[in-house]
Amino acid sequence: MTSWIKIPENSDFPLQNIPFGIAKSGETISPATRIGNTVIMLSALADYGFFDILDLDDLSIFYQPVLNDIAALSRQQRVNIRERLSVLFSDTCDELKQHTEAHSAACFNSNDIEMLLPVHIGDYTDFYSSIEHATNVGVMFRDPDNALLPNWRYLPVGYHGRSSSIVVSGTDIHRPKGQTRPDDNLPPVFGPSKQVDFELEMGFITSGSTKLGDSITAKDAEDHIFGMVLFNDLSARDIQRWEYVPLGPFLSKSFGSVVSPWIVTLEALEPFRVEGPKQEPAVFPYLQTSGKRNIDVSLEVYLQPQHGEENLICRSNFRHMYWNMSQQLAHQTVAGCNINPGDLYASGTISGPTHNSFGSMLELAWKGTRPIQLLDDTQRTFVLDNDTLIIRGFAQKNGLRIGFGECVTKILPAK
Ligand code: MN
């Protein structure tokens, strides 16, 4: 299937992707999709009646400044919108191609567009679902012989995070200040964190809602997943170490977290499904899934010093996840917690089995003991002021590439 829109080679956004985002052009803010380097405003397509043939009661969903109303649709309705878009932009369809007025009202070069946070995130959970990451942290901070805590293989460990400080790619974040205790024999001190880190994660956005008291089975969970984003869960390790006992991370994680702007649907990622790791012991029935529930998404993290070039410091893959998204959502709701459209569920740091696939600087530089060498002959054990972090992710197979674009943030000096 090819498009009448020009798509550069190796683009993350072929006609088979059709992601959803929120785009801003001048004063106009609209739900949008992207093909190649062209951003398409869905409100303009709705203006000209291109969605009238869809069985939608209310076309106001195409005029909202967030995608929550689209996320509230049924899976079939969302599939219908994507299919309508792929028909409109395919070579075989003249409907929009020949309508020059609608075409120029809807299509913009991505360089002329600002991307906004795609959904209003009501609730945010961060999981801890990579066995390699959990093992590395256990080895570093606890006991190498018992790296995983006893609960880890029984349930997808997670915590409720802060949604107000989740920002879209391109937003810079100030280094946090807080309490730390660098010397265990001395009282704590206050000041800017000296151990700002990234966490390479992916997240999924929920669709639909459930009632308080109801739960979603792992088997049906994918019907409640709108799509996926890249996610950088910025973390201040020194603040975290002092504050996290006994209730878990707090200010060390809430000073800013970054999402990529395009929500890539599970339908687009369908060709890249893979089996997950074998789970032992067998999981409880409410967590049991069948079929391929993991996804082969190549992930890269780059660190770019202020006046330097990009350094590839991590290459990992979403397929390594021990707990899959269906299990995470089943676990989130099994006690009766309700969900809403636009909630964000992050995977936890995605580390792979090899040293260069570790998904945080804590692991890459192994608690500061193995500094990361950069191309400009400087070293890093954690992130310095004015360093930029870039996460990229894409799935690729048999000539088809479905990508996520970028998740970028610069760490500014403390305020
Ligand atoms: Mn995290």
Side-chain angles (χ1 to χ4, degrees):
M1 208 165 53
T2 53
S3 175
W4 48 269
I5 289 186
K6 192 170 169 292
I7 301 172
E9 211 176 326
N10 278 327
S11 172
D12 279 350
F13 305 101
L15 189 57
Q16 291 82 353
N17 193 338
I18 313 282
F20 290 95
I22 293 289
K24 182 168 189 267
S25 165
E27 294 302 300
T28 305
I29 294 174
S30 171
T33 190
R34 176 169 171 168
I35 297 172
N37 293 328
T38 302
V39 173
I40 299 127
M41 304 295 237
L42 303 190
S43 55
L45 297 183
D47 282 345
Y48 287 93
F50 286 102
F51 295 125
D52 290 353
I53 69 160
L54 296 179
D55 183 25
L56 294 165
D57 301 330
D58 182 4
L59 293 178
S60 72
I61 57 172
F62 296 113
Y63 295 89
Q64 302 303 315
V66 285
L67 295 171
N68 296 63
D69 286 356
I70 291 178
L73 298 174
S74 71
R75 185 173 194 170
Q76 190 56 54
Q77 287 173 312
R78 286 181 280 113
V79 166
N80 292 346
I81 295 172
R82 274 188 78 248
E83 283 179 357
R84 176 65 176 147
L85 288 167
S86 57
V87 167
L88 282 174
F89 288 95
S90 72
D91 268 337
T92 51
C93 176
D94 284 340
E95 226 181 307
L96 176 60
K97 187 182 175 184
Q98 306 290 11
H99 196 317
T100 47
E101 194 183 311
H103 177 192
S104 61
C107 298
F108 295 83
N109 187 298
S110 58
N111 291 327
D112 301 328
I113 290 286
E114 182 189 351
M115 294 304 297
L116 306 182
L117 196 64
V119 280
H120 169 73
I121 301 166
D123 279 297
Y124 155 54
T125 292
D126 192 24
F127 286 98
Y128 190 55
S129 290
S130 151
I131 198 165
E132 288 85 1
H133 173 68
T135 302
N136 286 341
V137 172
V139 168
M140 269 188 271
F141 292 102
R142 286 188 301 271
D143 175 3
D145 296 326
N146 294 288
L148 292 180
L149 288 168
N151 62 0
W152 201 89
R153 287 174 182 270
Y154 285 90
L155 54 86
V157 170
Y159 67 94
H160 288 117
R162 181 83 189 171
S163 43
S164 69
S165 53
I166 298 175
V167 295
V168 73
S169 175
T171 310
D172 298 338
I173 300 288
H174 284 275
R175 177 176 298 275
K177 295 180 297 240
Q179 292 189 25
T180 63
R181 194 181 192 186
D183 186 333
D184 285 341
N185 299 308
L186 295 172
V189 298
F190 179 84
S193 165
K194 293 187 170 71
Q195 297 185 347
V196 170
D197 198 358
F198 69 84
E199 288 189 341
L200 166 63
E201 303 195 18
M202 297 191 75
F204 67 86
I205 308 286
T206 42
S207 76
S209 53
T210 56
K211 290 198 187 75
L212 188 65
D214 286 353
S215 51
I216 298 171
T217 64
K219 192 168 113 332
D220 297 336
E222 288 187 354
D223 289 341
H224 288 277
I225 297 177
F226 178 21
M228 298 181 69
V229 291
L230 305 172
F231 188 69
N232 184 350
D233 179 24
L234 291 168
S235 302
R237 301 299 179 193
D238 44 0
I239 296 174
Q240 183 178 355
R241 183 170 163 270
W242 172 235
E243 74 174 359
Y244 87 102
V245 182
L247 291 186
F250 190 32
L251 308 184
S252 57
K253 299 277 189 173
S254 61
F255 61 95
S257 315
V258 192
V259 295
S260 55
W262 293 107
I263 299 175
V264 176
T265 64
L266 288 190
E267 289 76 24
L269 294 165
E270 190 64 35
F272 307 100
R273 285 178 179 271
V274 289
E275 302 274 359
K278 185 166 169 52
Q279 296 180 315
E280 281 183 322
V283 298
F284 280 97
Y286 81 93
L287 291 169
Q288 281 169 9
T289 52
S290 58
K292 297 173 175 173
R293 298 282 179 137
N294 279 35
I295 303 174
D296 182 0
V297 180
S298 298
L299 297 166
E300 299 170 340
V301 183
Y302 295 81
L303 187 149
Q304 184 173 29
Q306 186 165 22
H307 300 296
E309 51 194 312
E310 292 181 5
N311 295 257
L312 177 61
I313 59 172
C314 164
R315 205 192 281 268
S316 189
N317 195 302
F318 186 66
R319 69 184 300 160
H320 298 311
M321 300 309 294
Y322 186 87
W323 295 103
N324 62 51
M325 296 182 285
S326 298
Q327 294 175 322
Q328 291 170 339
L329 194 52
H331 188 65
Q332 174 78 57
T333 59
V334 74
C337 174
N338 49 334
I339 65 156
N340 288 301
D343 290 351
L344 174 65
Y345 298 83
S347 58
T349 306
I350 305 164
S351 293
T354 57
H355 186 88
N356 71 348
S357 64
F358 294 168
S360 66
M361 289 180 85
L362 177 72
E363 295 163 87
L364 289 166
W366 206 256
K367 231 173 136 185
T369 60
R370 298 169 64 171
I372 302 162
Q373 189 66 41
L374 302 187
L375 297 166
D376 64 3
D377 275 340
T378 61
Q379 295 183 331
R380 294 290 185 281
T381 52
F382 289 101
V383 184
L384 297 183
D385 287 347
N386 300 308
D387 283 349
T388 298
L389 298 160
I390 306 154
I391 299 177
R392 297 195 176 102
F394 56 90
Q396 202 159 18
K397 188 180 165 186
N398 301 333
L400 175 65
R401 175 181 168 120
I402 300 289
F404 288 79
E406 295 182 332
C407 178
V408 184
T409 192
K410 184 176 178 179
I411 301 299
L412 301 176
K415 266 194 180 172

